[in-house]
Amino acid sequence: MTEVTQPALTIDALGKKCPIPIIMLAAQINDVPLNGVVAVLADDPAAYTDVPAWCRLKSHRHVGSYELPEGGWAIHVRRNY
């Protein structure tokens, strides 16, 4: 994975169960500029698969999922529209 972009927005959904991280992402993705990256911090294993699936469903781009040292992931989503 070569494309690591500094997120324009970080959503802290650590400790929250799905679908809360998705709801938070959907509510805030329009707060970043077009092509901006949102990092969703999540430790619910469902979020690891649900956020990329949401990206496909909504035509946004799943940039990558990066393990956090304290557990969980930073799931990067690029806003496409």
Side-chain angles (χ1 to χ4, degrees), residues 37-42 44 47-49 51-52 55 62-66 73-77:
V37 171
V38 177
V40 180
L41 308 183
D44 180 1
Y48 187 80
T49 53
V51 173
C55 290
H62 172 235
V63 178
S65 298
Y66 310 98
W73 306 273
I75 307 167
H76 288 201
V77 176

Side-chain angles (χ1 to χ4, degrees), residues 11-45:
I11 297 172
D12 185 353
L14 293 168
K16 294 180 170 53
K17 298 289 180 207
C18 265
I20 299 301
I22 300 283
I23 292 168
M24 294 171 75
L25 173 60
Q28 296 180 60
I29 191 145
N30 290 330
D31 294 349
V32 302
L34 207 54
N35 294 316
V37 171
V38 177
V40 180
L41 308 183
D43 51 11
D44 180 1

